[in-house]
Amino acid sequence: MRLANLLRTTVSGAVVGACAFGLAGAAFAQDQDGPQTIDDIIVTAQKREQNLQDVPIVVTSLSAETLQDAGVRDIKDLQILTPGLVVTSNSSEAATTARIRGVGTVGDNPGLESSVGVVIDGVYRSRNSVGFGDLGELERIEVLKGPQGTLFGKNTSAGVINILSAAPSFTPEYNAELTFGNFGTMGASGSVSGPISDNLAFRLYAGRRLRDGYYTVDTGDGPRSETDDNNQDFGSVRGQLLWLPSDTVSFRLIADYSSRDEYCCTGVQVRTGSTYPFIDGLSNGAGQRPPAAGFGLLPYSRTAFANRSSDQEIEDKGVSLEAKIGLPSLFGGATLTSITSARRWTSSLGQEADYTGADIAYRINDGDFGYDVENLTQELRLAGATDRLDWLVGVFATRETIERGDSFYLGADYSPLLSFLLSASLNAANPALPISPNTIGCYTRTAQTAAGLGACLGSGGASNGGGPGFTVGQTFEDRYQQESTSFALFTNNTFHVTEAFDLTLGLRYTLDDKTLEGQQRNSNGNGTTCNAALANAGAIGAVLGASAPTILARFCLPWTNSAYNSRDVSESVDDGELSGTLKASYRISPEVMIYASGARGYKSFGFNLDRVQTGITPNASLFFPSEVVDRLLNATWFDQRFENFQLNTFLGTSFVVESIPELTSHGVDADFLWFTPIEGLSLQGGLTWLDSKYGEFTAADLANPANFPQLSLLPGARSSFAPEISATASINFSRSMGGGLRGGFSLAGKYTSEYNTGSDLLPFKMQDGFTVINGRVMVGTEDERWTAEFWVQNLTDEEYVQVIYNGFLQGNAFASAVQPDGTFYNPAADTQTYDAFLGHPRTFGATLRFRY
């Protein structure tokens, strides 16, 4: 039900209140003479401007004033205003993921496209990370929940974040903003807009933001020199031209550039496992946080350990041209819209791989680790309306090139750590074998015998050893290039059956063609240690028996495996998919509308741009299939079923993409907005109740059955990043103080119930329920010539995490044999160290704005 009134609310799962469809930020731009209604809220969820009251889609619409009052500067900040939206980053800002209703793309592998589409001024951004930056001056943001493939294309199976920036104005405008805050926060931005001629206007925006890091870093063995992390240093510039050659024709040209040069992101131990003595012994200082009693969870801390740098450089630039041409004589009046874009996004990253003070593994920011995305897109739409039919037909084409480089380094502590781990596992079975950092050469000695190996292990490597250890320095340098083209035809049509009853039918056919060329290359003799151990497989088997395959696998992990010596990968796949939607809406009265809908969405197939192996054998193919979602009903109540859900998960030594046969997501969405009778006071909020679960499956149902042990907690379980309850609320007040001044305040908060942050659902990766509150107090002139704001983000300094993950080569979570409950997880045998990327702490400061 949609209620065009001062108060909007949801009344049932079949009759949907307007509150279920958008936090209308117009509340904060209320007319001074009286309150507004939902009729004033315009959205473009169906690729045409419509009143929110008339759109049968779940839409959360947020105006520029709403976003400003809540302190929203990027998509990650948007979470506090949008129930059901979760946005997280992991090892860098290039690995940022948005999820809606518990569904999103996991990890930083660019071979996976997005489940939540990001569209900025009509231009689709093919990877979430490509769309996460300073948003600049905004008109509004629309969050569309559920599959939106008919109009917004593939890779919108979970929803769309549709961002519309402020357009050039023919009235001269001058804006400036200065910000200062704790953690050394400084920011400055400004814009100017106005006419160049009677039919040509421009807008120019530029901004720069700086902040110190949130983490204190113990650098351990070095050579890292930075003692903080997760800082901020980025700038952006955006220029626009708007040309109106006639009353029926417009052209809007947009060019933008942004860059980041930051340190991000180190992890913090939330649980230190039994490998702590080894890390401690190899590090200058503790090397990581000491374990809690009984190896339980550690107290929350922002002290991180990293001996290598996490510096990152990211650039994003592009240009787009939107043309709208009115054709009044065609079909009784039509509009042709063309959107052409060219974009390039690049990243060069450094990474601390183990997040300890020991020198174990890392990547260097030298241009060899990171990825680039180049896009060319063209969309054409022809739309019109008659008394009985609103029609739209269109075509979309894109060409994309992804280049990924991966370069990996091992430090001097890698061989001793692996020796500690191997000898500790043997010691647990036979205490006569000592735990030692010097046993690698026992396994790799040329022509090692069973007797010699036994003697070497018994002496902790002091005798009968001397074989080669692992390469110190660069171990591999891989290159991947994926070329893809996509072409789609689509239509979306609303039939006005009666004055009150509408039927909407949308269809889209998409054809994708992707080609992968990869070169996997070991460096500096890497693989020699793996070969030497394999050559002694007979002796190792004779001494260690059933443990031998596990031991050998440790010598031939993806970054040390000789099977990748001069290995080339070449694959090509093309496929097509039909998606669409059917909606029925009925207007009970001018104030009330009910509707129901069904839809089918599509997320494209792709290639895992990484080293992936089963046992010690590289996988022959890096391909993974398309993901399809069917939305059975979408009003306040939603019910979605995903087939071949693309899960990118860390299996202890590498990331793999596995297609989970089924994921279901159903629940209730409800938003409300109340323009109260009190002048200047408005209340808004939202609620998402979510039940998102994986279907039951066995190893035989997976593309690679060998992946099942690390995924054995998933069948029938709630999916990750899928809180049962997500609720938002805000209060905003602004009114005249007399003397030409205006004052006000705003509070915005979000409660999120507990959820698991790990794609493997390990219990230690749970995040408890938490609440984040942002607030600000404002005073300024009535005409907004100047405004001073005093703000605080995360007012209560809530302690929460973004992602919890397994520490690199620091214990084991899953067992090698099935457990009584049918999984491969035994809590009592979990020795894994778990690290986390943390949420933001409390920040506060002041912002001064000028407008002329």
Side-chain angles (χ1 to χ4, degrees):
M1 179 193 296
R2 294 272 172 89
L3 303 174
N5 213 317
L6 299 184
L7 173 64
R8 298 186 289 133
T9 183
T10 299
V11 296
S12 74
V15 182
V16 185
C19 61
F21 304 91
L23 300 173
F28 308 100
Q30 291 188 57
D31 190 304
Q32 301 281 320
D33 297 328
Q36 295 182 329
T37 72
I38 190 174
D39 292 321
D40 298 309
I41 303 167
I42 302 299
V43 297
T44 54
Q46 297 194 117
K47 292 293 182 82
R48 65 173 82 225
E49 289 193 352
Q50 292 176 281
N51 188 292
L52 179 61
Q53 179 77 357
D54 299 325
V55 179
I57 298 174
V58 178
V59 183
T60 297
S61 181
L62 305 163
S63 75
E65 290 84 3
T66 306
L67 299 166
Q68 180 176 296
D69 287 343
V72 175
R73 295 190 180 277
D74 58 29
I75 295 177
K76 189 178 289 185
D77 295 335
L78 189 63
Q79 299 175 87
I80 200 164
L81 294 173
T82 312
L85 174 66
V86 177
V87 185
T88 59
S89 298
N90 49 59
S91 58
S92 79
E93 292 295 340
T96 300
T97 297
R99 300 171 178 84
I100 293 177
R101 296 172 175 170
V103 177
T105 300
V106 179
D108 58 355
N109 190 320
L112 284 91
E113 302 190 36
S114 306
S115 295
V116 177
V118 175
V119 178
I120 302 178
D121 290 324
V123 177
Y124 171 67
R125 308 297 178 92
S126 64
R127 304 297 184 277
N128 274 175
S129 54
V130 175
F132 284 78
D134 185 8
L135 297 177
E137 296 179 302
L138 297 172
E139 178 183 334
R140 67 180 180 274
I141 295 178
E142 301 166 359
V143 181
L144 287 60
K145 298 179 180 180
Q148 306 295 330
T150 303
L151 289 172
F152 288 91
K154 62 174 183 173
N155 309 325
T156 58
S157 53
V160 169
I161 299 174
N162 188 28
I163 300 166
L164 295 92
S165 68
S169 170
F170 283 89
T171 301
E173 295 179 12
Y174 305 91
N175 300 281
E177 177 182 299
L178 295 173
T179 294
F180 299 93
N182 63 334
F183 291 102
T185 296
M186 294 185 292
S189 64
S191 70
V192 58
S193 183
I196 297 175
S197 67
D198 290 343
N199 60 6
L200 181 64
F202 78 99
R203 180 178 291 273
L204 180 63
Y205 167 85
R208 178 79 189 280
R209 307 197 184 281
L210 303 169
R211 191 200 64 228
D212 296 335
Y214 292 147
Y215 296 88
T216 299
V217 180
D218 184 322
T219 60
D221 292 355
R224 178 184 175 120
S225 60
E226 306 85 33
T227 56
D228 70 335
D229 198 82
N230 202 15
N231 72 329
Q232 190 176 82
D233 183 355
F234 70 80
S236 61
V237 61
R238 183 183 184 87
Q240 302 184 57
L241 290 174
L242 177 62
W243 181 35
L244 306 177
S246 72
D247 292 340
T248 60
V249 177
S250 69
F251 294 91
R252 186 181 179 190
L253 179 67
I254 304 174
D256 65 90
Y257 172 82
S258 65
S259 67
R260 310 178 75 110
D261 188 356
E262 302 168 337
Y263 295 93
C264 184
C265 305
T266 56
V268 173
Q269 283 83 45
V270 294
R271 189 251 190 170
T272 303
S274 58
T275 58
Y276 171 75
F278 311 145
I279 300 296
D280 181 40
L282 294 171
S283 306
N284 291 327
Q288 62 184 177
R289 300 178 68 191
F295 297 109
L297 289 173
L298 293 163
Y300 197 89
S301 171
R302 292 189 179 274
T303 297
F305 293 81
N307 72 297
R308 295 288 178 170
S309 182
S310 56
D311 53 324
Q312 59 176 19
E313 299 172 28
I314 300 173
E315 287 190 348
D316 185 19
K317 54 189 174 183
V319 61
S320 67
L321 176 63
E322 179 187 69
K324 292 185 178 181
I325 303 172
L327 304 170
S329 61
L330 183 64
F331 304 120
T335 300
L336 176 66
T337 301
S338 169
I339 301 177
T340 307
S341 76
R343 301 203 61 82
R344 177 175 172 83
W345 186 92
T346 63
S347 65
S348 180
L349 312 172
Q351 183 185 60
E352 163 68 42
D354 52 275
Y355 302 104
T356 74
D359 192 23
I360 300 172
Y362 57 97
R363 290 177 167 99
I364 292 177
N365 180 9
D366 59 359
D368 289 333
F369 176 54
Y371 68 93
D372 303 346
V373 181
E374 289 190 17
N375 289 93
L376 294 173
T377 69
Q378 175 63 58
E379 181 172 357
L380 290 171
R381 301 193 305 268
L382 185 64
T386 67
D387 291 342
R388 301 295 299 273
L389 175 66
D390 298 337
W391 57 271
L392 182 150
V393 294
V395 60
F396 176 81
T398 180
R399 183 171 184 175
E400 178 181 77
T401 300
I402 297 175
E403 295 182 347
R404 180 177 188 257
D406 194 3
S407 177
F408 199 74
Y409 290 75
L410 296 182
D413 292 331
Y414 181 85
S415 287
L417 174 62
L418 190 58
S419 177
F420 271 134
L421 296 174
L422 296 178
S423 59
S425 66
L426 298 178
N427 174 265
N430 181 3
L433 297 178
I435 300 174
S436 168
N438 302 311
T439 64
I440 295 301
C442 299
Y443 301 94
T444 61
R445 179 175 180 170
T446 302
Q448 180 67 285
T449 64
L453 177 61
C456 188
L457 296 176
S459 67
S463 63
N464 295 294
F470 292 93
T471 299
V472 176
Q474 187 182 47
T475 60
F476 71 75
E477 185 174 341
D478 294 348
R479 292 287 181 269
Y480 305 90
Q481 180 169 298
Q482 177 180 289
E483 300 277 356
S484 65
T485 58
S486 181
F487 180 81
L489 296 171
F490 59 93
T491 183
N492 195 73
N493 309 283
T494 298
F495 301 90
H496 306 296
V497 181
T498 69
E499 290 186 358
F501 181 51
D502 290 345
L503 284 176
T504 299
L505 173 66
L507 291 172
R508 187 182 190 104
Y509 182 76
T510 303
L511 181 63
D512 287 324
D513 188 324
K514 294 185 178 181
T515 300
L516 170 66
E517 298 293 335
Q519 297 81 42
Q520 297 172 329
R521 301 289 186 267
N522 288 338
S523 307
N524 299 320
N526 180 41
T528 300
T529 310
C530 168
N531 281 336
L534 293 176
N536 292 327
I540 295 171
V543 175
L544 302 180
S547 300
T550 302
I551 297 291
L552 288 170
R554 290 287 185 167
F555 280 84
C556 301
L557 292 167
W559 48 88
T560 58
N561 193 340
S562 58
Y564 293 100
N565 288 338
S566 300
R567 183 173 185 263
D568 293 332
V569 178
S570 181
E571 298 187 65
S572 181
V573 179
D574 62 82
D575 194 14
E577 189 72 34
L578 181 68
S579 55
T581 185
L582 178 64
K583 307 182 183 80
S585 62
Y586 185 76
R587 188 172 294 282
I588 298 174
S589 70
E591 295 82 17
V592 181
M593 181 181 74
I594 60 174
Y595 79 85
S597 69
R600 183 175 180 85
Y602 161 64
K603 179 180 174 184
S604 179
F605 61 86
F607 303 102
N608 188 358
L609 309 184
D610 206 349
R611 292 189 170 198
V612 184
Q613 59 189 56
T614 302
I616 62 173
T617 303
N619 289 8
S621 174
L622 300 179
F623 172 79
F624 53 84
S626 300
E627 173 184 301
V628 176
V629 56
D630 290 313
R631 182 185 66 198
L632 304 180
L633 176 67
N634 196 342
T636 294
W637 172 265
F638 60 87
D639 195 341
Q640 302 173 149
R641 178 177 178 270
F642 293 79
E643 297 179 12
N644 292 324
F645 178 73
Q646 295 169 2
L647 184 73
N648 186 31
T649 187
F650 185 65
L651 299 186
T653 56
S654 63
F655 283 92
V656 301
V657 179
E658 182 60 72
S659 294
I660 306 301
E662 180 182 81
L663 182 149
T664 59
S665 173
H666 64 265
V668 173
D669 270 320
D671 295 345
F672 78 87
L673 170 63
W674 184 22
F675 302 98
T676 73
I678 301 173
E679 179 189 350
L681 178 65
S682 62
L683 306 175
Q684 66 179 41
L687 172 70
T688 296
W689 175 79
L690 174 67
D691 185 17
S692 178
K693 291 183 177 180
Y694 296 110
E696 297 288 347
F697 63 90
T698 66
D701 297 315
L702 300 179
N704 186 348
N707 292 336
F708 183 75
Q710 288 84 4
L711 302 176
S712 60
L713 292 174
L714 272 62
R718 176 177 289 273
S719 59
S720 59
F721 294 98
E724 182 178 14
I725 300 294
S726 174
T728 63
S730 68
I731 178 173
N732 300 272
F733 180 73
S734 175
R735 66 183 301 171
S736 175
M737 299 168 57
L741 295 179
R742 189 171 188 85
F745 70 89
S746 66
L747 283 174
K750 183 176 184 179
Y751 167 74
T752 305
S753 63
E754 68 175 10
Y755 58 91
N756 197 301
T757 69
S759 54
D760 51 17
L761 300 184
L762 286 164
F764 278 105
K765 297 180 180 180
M766 287 295 297
Q767 165 62 53
D768 293 336
F770 65 99
T771 301
V772 174
I773 299 173
N774 296 346
R776 60 191 55 223
V777 177
M778 174 272 290
V779 64
T781 60
E782 292 271 16
D783 59 6
E784 297 184 328
R785 287 298 180 92
W786 65 265
T787 303
E789 290 183 354
F790 304 92
W791 51 266
V792 59
Q793 306 283 92
N794 192 2
L795 176 65
T796 61
D797 202 19
E798 187 77 14
E799 297 176 343
Y800 65 99
V801 303
Q802 297 188 73
V803 180
I804 301 176
Y805 55 95
N806 297 4
F808 179 81
L809 288 184
Q810 296 166 56
N812 295 293
F814 290 99
S816 58
V818 67
Q819 302 299 298
D821 63 356
T823 74
F824 283 75
Y825 181 70
N826 179 357
D830 185 347
T831 63
Q832 182 68 55
T833 289
Y834 294 95
D835 299 333
F837 300 114
L838 305 180
H840 288 187
R842 176 170 52 221
T843 57
F844 54 85
T847 297
L848 187 61
R849 293 189 176 92
F850 301 93
R851 178 176 296 175
Y852 296 95

